[in-house]
Amino acid sequence: MRAVTNLPHEVRAEEHVWIPLPDGTRLAAKIWRPVSSDDEPCPAVLEFIPYRKRDLTALRDSIHHPYLAGHGYACLRVDLRGSGESEGVLTDEYLEQELRDGEDVLAWIAKQPWCTGRTGMMGISWGGFNALQLAARGPESLGAIAAVCFTDDRYADDVHYMGGCLLSDNLSWASTMFAYNSCPPDPALVGDRWREMWHERLEGSGLWLREWLEHQRRDDYWRHGSVCEDYSSVRCPVLAVSGWADGYSNAVFRTLENLDVPRKGLIGPWSHKYPHLGQPGPAVGFLQELVRWWDRWLKGVDNDVMDGPMLTTWMQDSVPPSTAYAERPGRWVGDPEWPSPLVEPARHALRPHHVGLPGEEPEEAELVVQSPLSVGQFAGKWCSYNAPPDLPYDQREEDGGSLVFDTDEFTERAELLGAPVLDLDVEVSEPVAMLAARLSDVRPDGSATRVTYGLLNLTHRDSHDEPAELVPGRRYRVSVALNGVAQAFPPGHRLRISLSTSYWPLAWPPPRPVRLTVHTGRSSVLLPWRRGGADEPEVRPFEEPEGAPPVSSTPLSPGEERWTVSRDLVGYESALEVVKDLGVVRLDDIDLELARDAWERYSWTGDDFDSVRGENVWRMGFRRDGWDVRTVTRTVLTSTPEEFQLHAQLDAYEDDERVLSKNWRHSIPRDHV
């Protein structure tokens, strides 16, 4: 990425600004704005997240907020209530309190003498979520948003549940926030109150995983903040962005299809990253795109930002299976709207171990599978953070425990764009069962690269609100939507559909092993083939990624990123172990040493479903002369056929003295999961 130092406006940074809320709580903000805004007010852009502007996001913030400020915008990074240096306690994500705070912050910004009264919101992940949620509340000043790696449906398409199946990322993400919520404010900014504020958080933030496990179906808890409940509530322009290696690409399709406001969609090959920092590459000049977006909607500049395709996607070329990629080969394609007139879905019958051609007659057969728990050990991360190796590996070993259906070899290049949908005629041996469906690109040498996948808890076959047990031996018609994708298949390759009854550790397995029977005569897959053509809209080339120079930092000790799959052939214990150690880094401008490392382990023994276990440990440390604080958090999740069992620990240390130790133990009944 090119560092830009010569920007149109000189920028002033205000390190610590208090924003007062009506209840007396103060939120901490860092503000970058043009020096000229003292006399010539400008629009403002808010990023509102809990990830600690002072340290954890300081590097990223320093790249894009000064850049946007240098193009004529006041940019604010505000920590949520109870995070960073903001007062209060953070007790869950996307609470009504958070959204009210966001409205109050926007109102405060709009009234500042350096602001024109026009505001925008931007953010990735949490910041993309609450930008869309606040847009649905219609704040008076909010003129547009840019949401990256976000969702409009907190139950169906977030880190917690997928198709009614419990994701292991529910545990992983809860453990991450457990660690982040244990961190203190910086005394250099809040003064002597830091210790009081810290202990208030340690005692009051709670165990979020318990809350998430107590809502295993789509109830009012998940409806809150899910904009899909009423798309018409969004009345400002929306730029919707994600990546194919990310967990949130589906929301781009849905928002383009359902919103009735000016909107643009962009999906690249990236993991959970801003596109100008995108990995796998190619990264693009996203900050330049943001400047054009804000110029149009916050300054009223009559530019061409809304010209061209509504949806721009990276059509990925075939690649060998790998757990990490530096670059994904492909090309940018544009579609004038979504659903696209350039996509022609075709239905393919599932014949015995074969995906038929469109229009080919079905063939009745009964195919049976009971997958071992090992299916899923090469699934990679539900949402890749580009902490390699976290992408799915060669699917052949997974396919050994699955039902497999292959097409004939392609004789010419074929491209998919959108979400494949499986319609299946099935019966199962247990009242609670899950189905994992994978679509892979099979190369001439037999190696299989997973292209997309989908999950369905079969008790949720008719409703996520009111799941219903299955009757063993009864036949059911079920539909399984896979994640949307843009993927090319070259001549000589085959497309493969793989079905399994477990996908651990990506998703928590059902209470007992399940035997699944697929009746092929009434089973098919709907594939969204993109034909393109002469009327395909031209995609304007992206510029080279650029941003402001990052803040200075000095690595003090190296980190480590590792995924290890192991199997003991004596005791038959298998495990996936994940290490994400970011080492120790000194942030030079604030003389702060920052240490973070996470360890995750997902284990099982043979095909004993009662042996499934997930454990996450996080260590966080902050140190400078006269201040040394660290925390250790540990979360363990196990299950029986009747309940989930949760155990968590929190230990906090000041100057190597343990100042707090807490333990939690909870049992949560399984609810059709």
Side-chain angles (χ1 to χ4, degrees):
M1 186 177 66
R2 182 162 60 93
V4 179
T5 56
N6 186 19
L7 295 167
H9 294 264
E10 182 184 356
V11 175
R12 172 189 298 127
E14 299 173 79
E15 174 68 22
H16 183 56
V17 176
W18 287 118
I19 298 178
L21 300 178
D23 67 356
T25 303
R26 298 179 300 172
L27 301 187
K30 184 169 184 178
I31 304 176
W32 299 260
R33 59 184 177 91
V35 172
S36 60
S37 64
D38 286 344
D39 302 309
E40 301 173 1
C42 62
V45 178
L46 168 65
E47 186 173 18
F48 189 44
I49 52 178
Y51 304 137
R52 302 178 59 87
K53 63 176 177 55
R54 178 68 163 164
D55 38 57
L56 300 190
T57 67
L59 180 64
R60 188 180 77 190
D61 294 344
S62 68
I63 292 171
H64 59 236
H65 287 304
Y67 181 92
L68 296 175
H71 285 85
Y73 294 91
C75 292
L76 293 88
R77 246 297 276 119
V78 179
D79 282 331
L80 298 188
R81 179 187 294 252
S83 67
E85 280 65 57
S86 289
E87 296 174 343
V89 177
L90 184 61
T91 59
D92 204 348
E93 54 186 12
Y94 319 121
L95 295 173
E96 176 64 20
Q97 180 68 66
E98 173 186 335
L99 301 181
R100 287 202 305 268
D101 288 351
E103 291 178 293
D104 292 332
V105 169
L106 288 171
W108 179 89
I109 295 170
K111 293 176 182 177
Q112 298 310 299
W114 38 258
C115 181
T116 61
R118 293 286 284 170
T119 65
M121 285 191 72
M122 63 176 283
I124 182 172
S125 197
W126 194 311
F129 277 51
N130 65 23
L132 186 65
Q133 292 167 15
L134 279 161
R137 297 166 76 97
E140 182 179 355
S141 70
L142 189 62
I145 67 167
V148 183
C149 304
F150 69 99
T151 193
D152 56 334
D153 191 329
R154 293 184 53 218
Y155 180 79
D157 210 16
D158 192 10
V159 72
H160 310 290
Y161 297 91
M162 182 179 185
C165 299
L166 174 65
L167 294 169
S168 63
D169 265 29
N170 195 42
L171 166 62
S172 177
W173 181 240
S175 301
T176 301
M177 290 310 300
F178 190 29
Y180 279 27
N181 292 335
S182 72
C183 298
D186 192 330
L189 295 186
V190 302
D192 293 339
R193 288 191 60 233
W194 76 269
R195 189 179 290 106
E196 176 188 347
M197 294 171 66
W198 182 36
H199 280 266
E200 185 181 14
R201 296 174 186 182
L202 292 172
E203 294 286 356
S205 183
L207 194 63
W208 295 11
L209 181 56
R210 178 188 180 187
E211 183 76 28
W212 299 343
L213 286 173
E214 289 178 342
H215 297 276
Q216 295 167 40
R217 59 179 73 186
R218 195 175 193 280
D219 56 15
D220 287 342
Y221 177 83
W222 301 112
R223 291 188 188 96
H224 169 75
S226 290
V227 172
C228 63
E229 294 291 309
D230 181 11
Y231 287 109
S232 67
S233 64
V234 177
R235 292 188 290 275
C236 70
V238 174
L239 176 61
V241 183
S242 192
W244 297 128
D246 185 69
Y248 295 104
S249 56
N250 296 323
V252 176
F253 292 111
R254 289 194 301 269
T255 53
L256 295 186
E257 180 175 0
N258 293 293
L259 293 182
D260 188 22
V261 295
R263 58 205 185 277
K264 283 280 191 173
L266 172 64
I267 310 177
W270 316 299
S271 58
H272 203 65
K273 302 280 187 180
Y274 274 112
H276 57 292
L277 306 172
Q279 297 171 306
V284 299
F286 183 63
L287 293 182
Q288 297 96 303
E289 298 297 315
L290 279 181
V291 169
R292 296 171 66 247
W293 181 255
W294 300 131
D295 281 353
R296 172 66 181 86
W297 298 114
L298 300 186
K299 290 184 178 179
V301 176
D302 186 14
N303 59 24
D304 63 352
V305 73
M306 295 305 295
D307 294 347
M310 176 185 285
L311 174 63
T312 300
T313 56
W314 184 251
M315 179 61 67
Q316 301 183 124
D317 285 339
S318 176
V319 290
S322 177
T323 55
Y325 300 97
E327 296 272 333
R328 283 299 303 258
R331 79 186 201 285
W332 291 108
V333 299
D335 287 82
E337 56 187 287
W338 193 262
S340 173
L342 305 178
V343 174
E344 300 176 6
R347 187 165 296 282
H348 300 249
L350 292 187
R351 299 161 63 84
H353 307 294
H354 182 254
V355 179
L357 295 171
E360 188 174 2
E361 289 297 317
E363 179 182 339
E364 179 61 52
E366 294 185 6
L367 303 179
V368 179
V369 65
Q370 182 169 317
S371 302
L373 274 173
S374 58
V375 174
Q377 61 188 340
F378 300 128
K381 190 83 168 163
W382 172 82
C383 177
S384 170
Y385 295 91
N386 195 55
D390 66 356
L391 296 176
Y393 189 48
D394 194 327
Q395 297 294 287
R396 283 179 287 186
E397 288 189 54
E398 311 277 62
D399 289 342
S402 309
L403 280 182
V404 172
F405 304 84
D406 285 3
T407 64
D408 294 332
E409 290 185 358
F410 291 99
T411 57
E412 59 184 23
R413 178 184 172 96
E415 296 181 348
L416 292 177
L417 176 59
V421 179
L422 279 160
D423 291 302
L424 302 173
D425 181 0
V426 301
E427 59 182 279
V428 295
S429 61
E430 294 290 333
V432 178
M434 69 169 286
L435 177 61
R438 310 187 307 280
L439 188 154
S440 298
D441 169 22
V442 182
R443 303 170 68 83
D445 64 4
S447 60
T449 303
R450 197 190 75 192
V451 170
T452 184
Y453 74 101
L455 305 176
L456 178 63
N457 177 341
L458 294 177
T459 70
H460 288 234
R461 62 197 176 274
D462 298 320
S463 168
H464 291 313
D465 302 62
E466 297 293 338
E469 288 189 348
L470 301 114
V471 177
R474 176 184 295 178
R475 289 169 68 165
Y476 295 91
R477 297 281 294 165
V478 300
S479 182
V480 186
L482 281 62
N483 290 329
V485 70
Q487 179 67 43
F489 297 83
H493 287 221
R494 290 172 287 138
L495 180 151
R496 173 173 294 166
I497 300 289
S498 306
L499 306 178
S500 61
T501 57
S502 64
Y503 207 40
W504 170 252
L506 189 141
W508 206 269
R512 295 179 176 85
V514 174
R515 184 175 67 257
L516 172 78
T517 302
V518 175
H519 298 270
T520 60
R522 298 178 61 200
S523 295
S524 63
V525 59
L526 188 67
L527 295 174
W529 298 110
R530 188 179 189 275
R531 306 301 182 186
D535 56 348
E536 183 172 341
E538 182 179 356
V539 177
R540 178 176 49 82
F542 290 103
E543 298 177 37
E544 175 189 357
E546 62 182 31
V551 294
S552 174
S553 60
T554 303
L556 301 179
S557 68
E560 178 187 14
E561 292 175 336
R562 175 167 50 85
W563 285 56
T564 304
V565 174
S566 63
R567 182 172 299 167
D568 175 6
L569 294 182
V570 176
Y572 300 108
E573 183 183 43
S574 300
L576 168 64
E577 186 174 302
V578 180
V579 173
K580 187 178 179 181
D581 181 355
L582 300 181
V584 181
V585 176
R586 183 176 65 239
L587 301 178
D588 298 328
D589 62 332
I590 59 173
D591 189 29
L592 177 70
E593 293 182 15
L594 175 63
R596 286 179 288 172
D597 74 83
W599 174 86
E600 304 177 33
R601 190 172 191 269
Y602 305 94
S603 60
W604 65 100
T605 301
D607 280 325
D608 180 2
F609 278 49
D610 290 346
S611 69
V612 170
R613 184 179 193 272
E615 179 177 0
N616 279 232
V617 177
W618 270 84
R619 297 177 180 85
M620 308 283 290
F622 305 84
R623 186 163 70 90
R624 68 162 63 92
D625 287 344
W627 188 53
D628 188 350
V629 171
R630 61 187 175 91
T631 63
V632 181
T633 53
R634 176 173 176 260
T635 314
V636 178
L637 184 64
T638 59
S639 64
T640 69
E642 293 78 30
E643 63 185 15
F644 293 105
Q645 297 165 334
L646 173 60
H647 175 218
Q649 297 169 293
L650 165 62
D651 291 287
Y653 300 84
E654 184 180 348
D655 296 328
D656 285 330
E657 178 183 349
R658 187 164 62 183
V659 295
L660 180 138
S661 183
K662 296 188 69 175
N663 278 267
W664 292 261
R665 285 191 182 275
H666 300 288
S667 295
I668 301 103
R670 296 178 76 143
D671 180 9
H672 297 81
V673 173

